[in-house]
């Protein structure tokens, strides 16, 4: 049984400090993750009763990874309350109480029949996003080592109790396979309202995603209010107050917002206000979206923007971009951009090339962000091979494509020891208007053919690199912004998001066939 300080009495949900069995100090007893339904590994088994059949596993999205069935009536939302003893779980307690129509009893009360108990506890080495949910004696107990784990347990409870459903008797022991489970929105090319973004946070939070990427600066627009450079901000934009509301909601749902200011390419909105910074080739032809990285003022304005928004977005992750710099899309960059070639040799020696200057630019932006203690990402085609300058070893590869000049196979990055997040553009890119060779991804294809190991194309990388692949992100890009309305985007990504979270939570072949998964998604949304 679960060991803890909570006492169960009628009509309340209690949050207490609880540890898994195997030691009162929490040193053992990690929630199992063998993915086997019906395993006896879950230790908090309800008392058997001959009057009830053995329970069936919960049906949720994503599916739970371990369930120990039991005999018993299960649990339905009724007149119970949610009560927390640890004030750190008050937000989780109030939210699930409101969602299930339960009362909220505050801190310190005890739980009884009909109630839900939320508790902090578990093995010290357990995945911080793991949880156990025990249904027994007409009560529900959700225990996790962190607020995030408890929150995910409440998401499982919410889905099972949806529409007056009965939560099955037994023990769920659950944890994600991957620590990064993301949804990214290109709000630069298309303006999305703050309310629309909030709705997506509620949606992905319920699906156990934990990251929301906001690509808010590009050639078309710059979409968030700026104090340091108001001249670069587009007419349709989010105010900092609106962003603050988005961040507050995201924190409540355990979603980290990952901002991206892409550079040194994709800076057209900044160049519009500062045309003197635009990159020009040897013939004087301006290069769309690219700043001239030989000019100190290019770095100055980007760094000022990075520092400003680091004070607004205080989450653990930050995306530096670095893709598709136009100076490196030509056959001979040194001949086409002699000013960049000169700057490269001046900074890095006589043998240095333009790619070394671009790599140094990325490293310098990483240095700018160093005081803010962020985990930094950059697109894979911003990592250049064979030069005299190597990318900062701590930069995480956001692998999206093998189509760009300089882009290499995923194993090239992984074999060098780099960590990687999967943005595979063949499965996880929803590009408005379907330009070039893009087609709208289907949930069915993700569900049946993609796993986090499928980083480029359709072929997985060797399983030995699994630990270096930190997760994946489903991305909405708005290249042809008017091709879909906000409502159409929300509908279009609905099933792909559900398929993506299923495979990031548990990459094994799903138990349900695709039609059953679609039916389940419909039932949970109804």
């Amino acid at each position: 049984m679960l060991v803890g300080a909570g006492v169960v009495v009628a009509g309340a949900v209690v949050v207490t400090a609880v540890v898994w069995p195997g030691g009162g100090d929490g040193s053992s007893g990690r929630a199992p993750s063998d993915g086997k339904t019906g395993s006896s590994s879950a230790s908090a088994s309800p008392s058997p009763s001959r009057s009830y059949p053995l329970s069936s596993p919960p049906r949720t999205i994503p599916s739970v990874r371990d369930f120990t069935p039991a005999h018993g009536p299960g649990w339905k939302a009724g007149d119970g309350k949610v009560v927390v003893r640890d004030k750190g779980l008050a937000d989780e307690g109030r939210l699930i109480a409101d969602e299930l129509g339960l009362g909220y009893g505050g801190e310190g009360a005890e739980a009884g029949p009909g109630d839900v108990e939320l508790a902090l506890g578990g093995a010290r080495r357990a995945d911080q996003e793991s949880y156990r949910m025990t249904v027994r004696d007409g009560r529900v107990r959700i225990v996790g080592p962190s607020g995030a784990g408890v929150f995910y347990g409440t998401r499982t409870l919410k889905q099972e109790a949806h529409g007056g459903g009965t939560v099955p008797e037994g023990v769920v022991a659950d944890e994600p396979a991957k620590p990064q489970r993301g949804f990214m929105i290109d709000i630069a090319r298309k303006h999305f309202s703050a309310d629309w973004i909030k709705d997506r946070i509620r949606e992905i939070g319920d699906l156990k995603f934990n990251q929301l990427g906001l690509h808010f600066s590009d050639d078309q627009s710059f979409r968030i209010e700026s104090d340091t450079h108001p001249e670069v901000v587009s007419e349709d934009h989010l105010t900092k107050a609106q962003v603050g509301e988005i961040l507050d909601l995201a924190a409540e749902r355990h979603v980290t917002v990952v901002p991206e200011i892409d550079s040194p390419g994709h800076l057209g909105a900044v160049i519009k206000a500062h045309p003197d910074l635009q990159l020009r080739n040897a013939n004087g032809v301006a290069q769309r979206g690219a700043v001239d990285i030989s000019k100190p003022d290019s770095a100055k304005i980007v760094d000022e923007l990075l520092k400003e928004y680091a004070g607004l977005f205080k989450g653990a992750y930050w995306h530096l971009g670095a893709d598709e710099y136009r100076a490196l899309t030509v056959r001979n960059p040194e001949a086409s951009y002699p000013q960049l070639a000169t700057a490269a040799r001046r900074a890095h020696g006589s043998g240095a090339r333009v790619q070394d200057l671009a790599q140094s630019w990325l490293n310098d932006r990483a240095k700018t962000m160093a005081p803010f203690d962020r985990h930094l990402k950059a697109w894979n085609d911003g990592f250049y091979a064979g030069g005299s300058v190597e990318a900062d070893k701590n930069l995480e590869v956001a692998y999206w494509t093998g189509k760009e000049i300089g882009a290499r196979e995923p194993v090239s990055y992984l074999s060098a020891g780099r960590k990687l997040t999967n943005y595979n553009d063949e499965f996880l890119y929803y590009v408005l208007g379907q330009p070039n060779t893009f087609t709208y991804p289907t949930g069915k294809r993700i569900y049946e053919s993609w796993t986090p190991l499928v980083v480029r194309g359709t072929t997985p990388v060797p399983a030995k690199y699994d630990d270096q692949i930190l997760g994946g992100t489903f991305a909405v890009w708005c290249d042809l912004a008017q091709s879909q309305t906000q409502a159409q985007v929300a509908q279009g990504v609905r099933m792909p998001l559900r398929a993506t979270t299923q495979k990031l939570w548990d990459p094994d072949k799903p138990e349900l066939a695709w039609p059953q998964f679609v039916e389940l998604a419909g039932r949970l949304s109804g």
Side-chain angles (χ1 to χ4, degrees):
M1 62 181 295
L2 291 175
V3 181
V7 180
V8 180
V9 298
V13 178
V14 184
V15 179
T16 60
V18 178
V19 297
W20 305 131
D25 63 354
S27 61
S28 62
R30 177 177 177 175
S33 57
D34 59 9
K36 301 295 188 294
T37 298
S39 165
S40 61
S41 58
S43 59
S45 300
S47 301
S49 169
R50 295 180 181 177
S51 25
Y52 297 98
L54 199 63
S55 59
S56 298
R59 291 299 186 196
T60 60
I61 298 175
S63 59
V64 302
R65 300 186 71 189
D66 186 282
F67 178 67
T68 299
H71 297 276
W75 181 90
K76 294 185 71 169
D79 297 330
K81 297 189 299 293
V82 179
V83 180
V84 300
R85 289 184 183 166
D86 186 320
K87 64 181 180 180
L89 293 176
D91 287 345
E92 289 77 12
R94 289 190 181 95
L95 179 62
I96 192 63
D98 180 66
E99 290 170 330
L100 297 184
L102 302 172
Y104 180 69
E107 300 172 33
E110 297 178 345
D115 302 334
V116 178
E117 177 182 358
L118 308 182
L120 287 176
R124 292 173 182 168
R125 293 187 298 275
D127 187 314
Q128 290 299 295
E129 295 183 307
S130 66
Y131 69 91
R132 286 197 183 198
M133 182 176 79
T134 302
V135 178
R136 178 173 54 197
D137 300 332
R139 302 168 175 84
V140 178
R141 229 186 235 181
I142 297 172
V143 185
S146 72
V150 173
F151 174 73
Y152 295 136
T154 67
R155 300 308 87 192
T156 296
L157 176 64
K158 178 186 176 182
Q159 289 192 32
E160 274 296 280
H162 179 80
T166 298
V167 185
E169 198 90 1
V171 180
V172 169
D174 204 12
E175 62 184 2
K178 293 298 179 184
Q180 294 191 40
R181 305 176 302 281
F183 175 45
M184 194 224 78
I185 312 166
D186 170 13
I187 66 172
R189 294 179 177 91
K190 182 180 182 68
H191 177 63
F192 289 90
S193 70
D195 286 342
W196 188 92
I197 296 171
K198 290 178 188 176
D199 285 343
R200 302 288 74 72
I201 290 171
R202 294 182 184 97
E203 179 180 14
I204 67 174
D206 280 356
L207 294 171
K208 299 173 184 166
F209 283 91
N210 62 3
Q211 290 184 357
L212 173 71
L214 291 180
H215 176 93
F216 67 90
S217 170
D218 213 298
D219 293 343
Q220 293 78 0
S221 299
F222 193 103
R223 297 287 190 185
I224 296 179
E225 175 186 1
S226 172
D227 299 317
T228 61
H229 288 283
E231 75 280 1
V232 308
V233 180
S234 303
E235 181 178 357
D236 292 327
H237 65 272
L238 299 173
T239 67
K240 287 189 174 181
Q242 289 174 317
V243 172
E245 293 174 2
I246 288 167
L247 293 172
D248 288 345
L249 178 63
E252 178 187 290
R253 306 302 172 106
H254 295 274
V255 172
T256 298
V257 177
V258 185
E260 180 191 356
I261 299 177
D262 202 347
S263 78
H266 295 280
L267 282 171
V270 172
I271 291 169
K272 184 178 179 180
H274 297 272
D276 56 306
L277 300 181
Q278 189 161 27
L279 177 67
R280 295 180 180 273
N281 66 15
N283 297 320
V285 178
Q287 303 302 296
R288 184 182 182 222
V291 295
D292 188 331
I293 58 177
S294 70
K295 295 183 176 182
D297 282 349
S298 295
K300 181 175 182 290
I301 190 170
V302 171
D303 284 347
E304 286 171 349
L305 290 167
L306 289 173
K307 292 174 183 177
E308 176 181 359
Y309 292 106
L312 179 63
F313 296 96
K314 297 182 179 179
Y317 296 89
W318 192 283
H319 203 311
L320 291 170
D323 63 314
E324 298 180 317
Y325 187 50
R326 290 183 178 271
L328 292 170
T329 62
V330 297
R331 186 180 300 275
N332 188 338
E334 286 69 39
S336 296
Y337 301 95
Q339 77 275 32
L340 299 186
T342 298
R345 290 191 295 269
R346 185 185 304 120
H348 304 293
S350 59
R353 295 177 288 165
V354 172
Q355 74 168 57
D356 297 307
L357 192 66
Q359 199 71 89
S360 180
W361 169 279
L362 177 58
N363 290 345
D364 286 345
R365 306 294 75 74
K367 291 176 184 176
T368 297
M369 292 301 298
F372 302 101
D373 193 26
R374 304 291 197 268
H375 298 289
L376 302 175
K377 304 170 180 277
W379 298 114
N380 64 286
D381 51 322
F383 293 76
Y384 305 105
S388 61
V389 179
E390 293 186 3
D392 186 303
K393 64 180 181 179
N394 294 316
L395 284 169
E396 176 189 312
V397 179
Y399 197 101
W400 71 283
T401 187
K403 302 181 180 74
E404 296 296 318
I405 293 175
R408 292 166 279 141
E409 292 286 344
V411 168
S412 175
Y413 304 84
L414 294 166
S415 62
R418 290 197 178 273
K419 294 181 179 180
L420 179 153
T421 309
N422 188 330
Y423 290 73
N424 188 330
D425 64 344
E426 259 191 61
F427 287 90
L428 305 179
Y429 263 33
Y430 190 96
V431 185
L432 266 60
Q434 304 182 106
N436 302 321
T437 59
F438 288 107
T439 58
Y440 291 128
T442 66
K444 183 176 189 292
R445 187 162 181 253
I446 297 168
Y447 190 78
E448 295 179 344
S449 303
W450 180 81
T451 74
L453 290 174
V454 181
V455 179
R456 174 177 175 176
T458 59
T459 304
V461 300
K464 67 180 181 179
Y465 295 117
D466 186 52
D467 287 346
Q468 289 174 241
I469 298 175
L470 302 176
T473 294
F474 186 89
V476 172
W477 293 102
C478 302
D479 292 44
L480 299 175
Q482 304 310 312
S483 300
Q484 289 192 343
T485 65
Q486 293 183 91
Q488 287 172 324
V489 174
Q491 180 59 33
V493 302
R494 180 176 171 274
M495 288 310 300
L497 281 175
R498 283 153 178 78
T500 301
T501 192
Q502 174 60 43
K503 303 305 282 291
L504 289 169
W505 196 267
D506 185 351
D508 291 343
K509 182 179 179 180
E511 181 181 347
L512 298 180
W514 175 249
Q516 295 173 304
F517 188 78
V518 173
E519 188 278 330
L520 174 61
R523 179 172 64 80
L524 294 176
S525 300

